[in-house]
């Protein structure tokens, strides 16, 4: 990577908003996006008139069943303004504020509204019908795959390589669902035990139902502003210190599955920009992407918050609890709060924003926080998107 | 200054908007629109994959080799992803390999429970003359047979040497299913 | 082995289909109000800072919330097109007139609907009125209005 990390303008997050994450919403996709945007604006004391540019993000149009879905949700504030939709699969949620960042850092816009929305419920009988299109139509789909297969295969490889067990990995689900009890938008918050995870319906060994985040409808939004504007809007801006995003090839079965290279590259880019040399010491709170429980550990290692294969051991020691040394997914993550794909990633960025402002209420982590990180991952084990924030 | 939703005096953030519907409630809504999509597709396998599929019909696993870095691609690409050069040379692989990862699926594509679980995995293929970098390799995603769910769960399957079990020549259609599955190499 | 010269017959094609069996679209917050009104034979609009919009949406283009109001017409043809083929390219028995129709008491938008009129007679500004299905057959959808007809 030879990206120019010496961008002159500082950009801050100044507001965030969320809708409820639920299996099925009455609201249309654009209404969900508007609700989240309004929450974010209210939290920053702004109105739609104060916004210069809009960045939107949603996963495939085929979930909502509406083409040009990004443009469709953009009239939640993008009307008559420079607006763009970004899309990198599951990584979209964190890519939306990344794209909003360069809108502001380039000097093009003073204030940027970043909205991510996902309504998965219109696709019947199950959103799986949309996921079927992730597989290669010629070499993979004729084998009749279910989306869970690919995760199960990666999880199995990770378990083998790191010599860890389903019991240990289930602790992630237990932790995140418990954390989500304090989240007002949460869909799948619960006090469960490792046994509950192991006894839930076995789908594709080693994946049980409670190893997986639920499908959801929901939207999230954040407001980004250039330094002068940010200081005018709030006395506690949360600075964007670094961003990173990389892509790997689509041939997931042609590479080592136990380590996410794509996340690692994105993280290195973000850390370099943020001047972070020892992320495992310097990052105080993290929101790694956790659509499956092993994914959180996998991503913690990709983000260099733990050495390869070290995360399961640290997890057992409570290192990643809210009261731990490096709290991860204090919001409850996708496993607890829900997984409306693009909105879920942006929810993670919003959580870090609230954590760094000490506004997370009962979800606030015990230790003092200075640097936080949110990460998402997407496409066919391909995309890593990372954002590093500080207060 | 921020008040209400995320203000300092009200820490945490409360009362997110949104109206959840139960399944029946949704179907009872006035104004609910239901639409059945009818899209049909025809996917072209392109140059490299078409030749690969023809090879399967002949009972051969073909790959391409990059003239610059020497990487062997299975499934074949017509260009090297790392060097961006055309992969000029075709190579035939012996077909044997080792299991990289394997899982036991109890559900089919749309989450229907299967009567008999299927075992699927990633097979890292032997590619003579290709010195890999340790991260990427020539490989295929396919079914595994001749192994039990217990073999998968105990981890015995990973690293196991396997070879393709081909369908009889008259049943092959130039399709990834021309390989019935990968099975353990005896002995 | 080397690459051979490619002929089109050598390329293998693989069929596939849309695997979502059905999409179910919820009407949304104000869409639900509009749907209930359709069942009663009324048409709603949204009063925003810059005028009344038909059909209603949850928020106005300026991002603010508006107020639901009933629009009564009279309705006029803003623009129209004459359709000779159906969605799949089959010839229609009779050409159909599809028009954008705006009530005089709204400022923006309008409904897109069929106008039951001889294609020779349709013209911009023509006054039309909705022809409703019988109340027991209404579902809260735009199709509750069977068509518009000259007033």
């Amino acid at each position: 990577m030879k990206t120019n990390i010496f961008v002159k303008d500082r950009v801050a997050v100044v507001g965030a908003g969320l809708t409820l994450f639920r299996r099925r919403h009455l609201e249309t996709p654009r209404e969900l996006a508007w609700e989240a945007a309004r929450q974010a604006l209210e939290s920053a004391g702004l109105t739609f008139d104060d916004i210069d540019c809009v960045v939107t993000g949603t996963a495939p149009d085929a979930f909502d069943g509406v083409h040009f879905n990004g443009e469709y949700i953009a009239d939640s504030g993008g009307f008559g303004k420079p607006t763009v939709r970004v899309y990198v699969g599951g990584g979209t949620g964190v890519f939306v504020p990344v794209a909003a960042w360069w809108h502001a850092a380039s000097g093009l816009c003073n204030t940027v509204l970043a909205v991510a929305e996902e309504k998965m419920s219109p696709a019947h009988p199950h959103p799986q019908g949309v996921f079927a299109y992730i597989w290669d139509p010629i070499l993979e789909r004729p084998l009749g795959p279910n989306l869970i297969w690919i995760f199960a295969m990666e999880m199995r490889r990770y378990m083998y390589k790191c010599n860890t067990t389903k019991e240990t990995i289930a602790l992630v689900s237990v932790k995140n669902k418990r954390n989500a009890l304090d989240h007002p938008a949460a869909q799948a918050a619960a006090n469960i035990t490792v046994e509950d995870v192991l006894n839930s319906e076995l789908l594709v060994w080693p994946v049980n139902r409670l190893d997986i985040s639920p499908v959801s409808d929901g939207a999230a939004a954040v407001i980004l502003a250039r330094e002068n504007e940010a200081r005018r809007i709030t006395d506690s801006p949360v600075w964007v210190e670094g961003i990173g995003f990389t892509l790997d090839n689509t041939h997931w079965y042609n590479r080592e599955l136990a380590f996410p290279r794509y996340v690692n590259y994105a993280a290195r880019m973000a850390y370099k920009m943020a001047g972070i040399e020892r992320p495992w010491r310097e990052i105080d709170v993290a929101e790694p992407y956790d659509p499956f429980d092993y994914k959180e550990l996998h991503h913690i290692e990709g983000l260099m918050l733990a050495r390869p294969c070290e995360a399961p051991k640290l997890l057992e020691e409570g290192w990643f609890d809210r009261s731990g040394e490096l709290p991860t997914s204090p919001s409850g993550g996708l496993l607890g709060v829900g997984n409306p794909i693009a909105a879920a990633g942006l929810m993670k960025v919003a959580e870090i924003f609230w954590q760094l402002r000490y506004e997370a209420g009962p979800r606030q982590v015990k230790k003092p926080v200075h640097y936080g990180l949110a990460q998402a991952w997407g496409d066919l084990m391909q995309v890593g998107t990372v954002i590093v924030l500080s207060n | 200054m921020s008040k209400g939703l995320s203000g300092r005096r009200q820490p945490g953030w409360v009362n997110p908007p949104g109206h959840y519907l139960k399944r029946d409630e949704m179907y009872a809504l006035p104004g609910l629109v239901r639409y059945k999509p009818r899209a049909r597709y025809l996917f072209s396998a392109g140059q490299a994959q078409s030749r690969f599929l023809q090879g399967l019909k002949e009972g051969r696993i073909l790959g391409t080799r990059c003239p610059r870095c020497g990487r062997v691609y299975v499934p074949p690409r017509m260009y090297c992803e790392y060097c961006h050069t055309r992969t000029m040379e075709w190579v035939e692989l012996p077909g044997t390999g080792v299991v990289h990862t394997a899982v036991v699926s109890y559900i089919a594509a749309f989450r229907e429970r299967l009567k008999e679980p299927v075992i699927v995995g990633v097979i890292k293929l032997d590619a003579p003359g290709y010195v890999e970098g340790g991260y990427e390799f020539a490989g295929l995603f396919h079914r595994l047979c001749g192994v039990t769910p217990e073999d998968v769960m105990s981890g015995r399957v990973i690293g196991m040497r396997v070879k393709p079990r081909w369908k009889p020549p008259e049943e092959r259609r130039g399709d990834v299913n021309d390989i019935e599955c990968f099975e353990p190499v005896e002995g | 082995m080397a690459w051979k010269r490619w002929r089109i017959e050598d390329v293998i094609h693989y069929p596939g289909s849309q695997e979502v069996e059905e999409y179910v679209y919820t009407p949304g917050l104000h869409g639900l109000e509009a749907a209930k009104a359709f069942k009663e034979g009324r048409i709603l609009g949204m009063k925003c800072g810059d005028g009344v919009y038909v059909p209603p949406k949850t928020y106005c283009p300026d991002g603010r919330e508006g107020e639901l109001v009933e629009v009564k017409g009279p309705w006029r043809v803003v623009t129209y097109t004459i359709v000779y083929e159906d969605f799949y390219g089959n010839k229609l028995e009779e050409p159909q007139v599809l028009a954008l129709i705006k009530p005089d008491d709204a400022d923006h938008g309008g409904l897109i609907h069929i106008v039951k009129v001889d294609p020779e007679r349709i013209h911009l500004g023509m006054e039309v009125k909705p022809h409703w299905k019988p109340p027991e057959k209404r579902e809260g959808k735009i199709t509750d209005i069977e068509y518009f007809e000259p007033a």
Side-chain angles (χ1 to χ4, degrees):
Chain A
M1 280 173 293
K2 294 190 193 72
T3 45
N4 170 26
I5 57 160
F6 304 105
V7 181
K8 287 193 194 113
D9 278 27
R10 291 184 88 194
V11 176
V13 183
V14 296
L18 272 187
T19 66
L20 281 174
F21 283 13
R22 287 294 180 271
R23 175 67 181 85
R24 229 171 270 104
H25 265 304
L26 169 62
E27 282 84 350
T28 59
R30 42 156 59 108
E31 288 175 352
L32 287 170
W34 180 81
E35 292 280 15
R38 187 172 64 157
Q39 295 268 350
L41 288 164
E42 267 179 25
S43 80
L46 299 175
T47 66
F48 279 99
D49 301 337
D50 300 320
I51 295 298
D52 292 340
C53 303
V54 178
V55 179
T56 67
T58 75
D61 290 343
F63 284 120
D64 301 68
V66 179
H67 280 299
F68 306 114
N69 192 15
E71 292 77 353
Y72 173 78
I73 67 165
D75 50 282
S76 60
F79 184 78
K81 290 173 183 162
T83 299
V84 68
R85 173 203 193 172
V86 294
Y87 171 53
V88 286
T92 305
V94 173
F95 198 63
V96 167
V98 166
W101 169 84
W102 74 57
H103 275 70
S106 65
L108 185 68
C109 322
N110 280 317
T111 48
V112 189
L113 169 66
V115 196
E117 174 275 339
E118 204 70 67
K119 189 165 183 184
M120 297 171 82
S121 63
H124 277 57
H126 196 274
Q128 276 289 352
V130 177
F131 284 128
Y133 282 82
I134 285 179
W135 300 94
D136 183 276
I138 293 155
L139 294 180
E140 299 169 16
R141 201 127 38 95
L143 298 170
N146 183 294
L147 183 72
I148 298 169
W149 287 14
I150 193 171
F151 296 99
M153 283 188 261
E154 197 177 65
M155 177 168 169
R156 183 70 191 95
R157 181 70 190 172
Y158 180 76
M159 285 165 65
Y160 168 78
K161 196 87 175 177
C162 296
N163 199 15
T164 187
T165 60
K166 272 173 64 58
E167 285 80 0
T168 305
I169 288 172
L171 286 169
V172 175
S173 192
V174 173
K175 165 178 79 77
N176 289 4
K177 285 179 188 289
R178 188 178 57 223
N179 284 351
L181 287 169
D182 298 319
H183 201 297
Q187 174 184 0
N191 234 330
I192 58 165
T193 62
V194 169
E195 281 69 44
D196 292 333
V197 180
L198 299 181
N199 294 334
S200 61
E201 188 189 4
L202 179 57
L203 300 172
V204 183
W205 192 90
V207 174
N208 292 55
R209 198 176 56 78
L210 289 179
D211 286 314
I212 312 179
S213 57
V215 297
S216 303
D217 295 351
V222 296
I223 317 280
L224 277 78
R226 293 176 68 196
E227 181 162 10
N228 286 347
E229 196 68 23
R231 291 199 189 280
R232 201 181 59 72
I233 294 168
T234 175
D235 54 9
S236 50
V238 170
W239 302 104
V240 180
E241 295 289 349
I243 55 109
F245 52 102
T246 48
L247 187 71
D248 209 326
N249 64 22
T250 55
H251 293 85
W252 56 274
Y253 48 89
N254 281 174
R255 52 182 135 87
E256 173 58 60
L257 292 171
F259 185 77
R261 181 171 65 177
Y262 37 95
V263 169
N264 187 243
Y265 288 173
R268 284 170 189 272
M269 175 177 165
Y271 294 148
K272 198 169 163 195
M273 188 184 282
I276 289 176
E277 289 169 354
R278 297 176 303 165
W280 55 92
R281 300 286 299 260
E282 294 176 52
I283 298 290
D284 300 305
V285 54
E287 281 276 349
Y289 201 58
D290 60 329
F292 285 67
D293 46 9
Y294 80 95
K295 265 290 182 196
E296 177 158 326
L297 304 172
H298 199 233
H299 290 154
I300 284 170
E301 291 168 10
L303 291 165
M304 298 183 287
L305 301 179
R307 289 188 196 91
C309 296
E310 192 189 28
K313 194 173 132 276
L314 293 175
L315 174 74
E316 283 175 338
E317 290 170 5
W319 190 269
F320 302 124
D321 290 349
R322 253 189 220 145
S323 54
E325 292 292 316
L326 173 50
T328 60
S329 298
S331 63
L334 279 54
L335 287 161
V337 187
N339 186 9
I341 304 176
L346 195 52
M347 178 276 286
K348 285 186 164 281
V349 179
E351 180 67 16
I352 296 299
F353 169 73
W354 288 317
Q355 290 285 347
L356 292 176
R357 300 230 301 192
Y358 292 89
E359 284 178 4
R363 302 191 306 283
Q364 188 64 42
V365 301
K366 280 265 163 54
K367 63 184 285 196
V369 286
H370 306 289
Y371 276 87
L373 167 157
Q375 170 257 332
W377 145 93
D379 288 359
L380 212 56
M381 314 304 199
Q382 274 180 282
V383 174
T385 50
V386 175
I387 191 164
V388 176
L389 305 174
S390 81
N391 53 15
Chain B
M1 186 46 220
S2 53
K3 353 175 221 312
L5 294 165
S6 163
R8 294 222 162 145
R9 264 170 223 119
Q10 267 183 295
W13 165 90
V14 288
N15 196 20
H19 294 78
Y20 169 64
L21 297 170
K22 291 199 183 102
R23 207 180 166 78
D24 312 344
E25 282 172 353
M26 182 185 73
Y27 283 116
L29 278 180
L32 191 76
V33 173
R34 305 175 66 167
Y35 177 75
K36 288 193 192 304
R38 303 211 313 197
R40 296 283 180 276
Y41 302 96
L42 202 57
F43 300 101
S44 162
Q47 300 198 2
Q49 276 187 12
S50 289
R51 178 122 189 223
F52 175 72
L53 295 172
Q54 305 276 17
L56 293 182
K57 205 169 175 179
E58 299 157 17
R60 303 194 297 161
I61 292 179
L62 300 179
T64 51
R65 188 200 303 274
C66 170
R68 263 180 77 179
C69 66
R71 278 188 178 85
V72 172
Y73 288 104
V74 178
R77 281 62 130 184
M78 64 177 282
Y79 48 84
C80 175
E81 286 164 4
Y82 295 85
C83 309
H84 270 272
T85 52
R86 189 177 280 275
T87 49
M88 305 299 276
E89 189 193 346
W90 283 89
V91 289
E92 183 176 345
L93 279 77
T96 51
V98 294
V99 178
H100 183 69
T101 180
V103 300
V104 189
S105 183
Y106 295 88
I107 54 170
F110 291 95
R111 215 183 178 286
E112 319 89 296
R113 300 275 327 163
L114 290 169
K115 282 201 190 97
E116 285 291 316
V118 294
I119 296 175
V120 292
V122 173
I123 296 100
K124 179 175 171 179
L125 294 167
D126 298 337
Y130 171 26
V131 185
E132 350 145 352
Y135 195 83
E136 66 278 347
F137 50 80
L140 281 177
F141 155 54
H142 221 292
R143 288 180 289 269
L144 292 171
C145 46
V147 291
T148 62
E150 288 67 45
D151 292 336
V152 173
M153 293 178 196
S154 68
R156 209 175 316 141
V157 157
I158 296 181
M160 187 181 267
R161 290 203 58 78
V162 290
K163 62 176 171 51
R165 180 195 286 175
W166 296 94
K167 277 189 183 162
E170 62 278 11
E171 284 177 31
R172 293 189 208 138
R173 295 168 34 235
D175 178 327
V176 65
N177 281 312
D178 290 352
I179 299 174
E180 216 157 278
C181 55
F182 279 80
E183 59 185 0
V185 176
E186 292 90 24
Chain C
M1 280 181 283
W3 288 87
K4 57 177 177 176
R5 279 191 78 83
W6 273 89
R7 292 165 305 164
I8 196 77
E9 310 89 88
D10 292 330
V11 178
I12 291 180
H13 286 79
Y14 221 93
S17 65
Q18 167 68 268
E19 303 196 34
V20 174
E21 284 170 20
E22 186 183 30
Y23 281 108
V24 179
Y25 302 98
T26 56
L29 294 177
H30 291 78
L32 183 60
E33 297 307 315
K36 287 178 185 162
F38 271 144
K39 289 186 95 162
E40 297 161 11
R42 297 184 302 128
I43 298 166
L44 296 186
M46 178 67 76
K47 192 170 178 200
C48 291
D50 54 348
V52 175
Y53 283 78
V54 174
K57 288 173 185 161
T58 297
Y59 47 85
C60 297
D62 58 5
R64 293 184 183 83
E65 218 163 339
E67 183 197 335
L68 284 173
V69 290
E70 187 181 346
V71 291
K72 295 207 164 99
W75 298 76
R76 281 179 211 285
V77 173
V78 178
T79 182
Y80 64 88
T81 182
I82 300 168
V83 184
Y84 295 93
E85 284 179 358
D86 75 1
F87 203 64
Y88 299 97
N90 307 315
K91 206 112 195 122
L92 290 175
E93 278 175 28
E94 274 182 20
Q96 221 173 31
V97 178
L98 196 70
L100 173 63
I101 305 154
K102 189 178 83 69
D104 283 356
D105 48 355
D107 305 275
H108 309 281
L111 300 180
I112 293 177
H113 222 300
I114 295 160
V115 181
K116 203 167 183 184
V117 62
D118 180 1
E120 300 285 308
R121 279 187 52 219
I122 182 88
H123 58 88
L124 298 191
M126 180 186 228
E127 198 180 320
V128 291
K129 63 177 190 333
H131 180 275
W132 292 90
K133 280 185 183 166
E136 64 279 8
K137 283 200 179 158
R138 294 184 201 151
E139 300 169 289
K141 296 184 195 172
I142 183 78
T143 45
D144 290 355
I145 304 170
E146 222 161 328
Y147 49 80
F148 279 78
E149 59 197 356

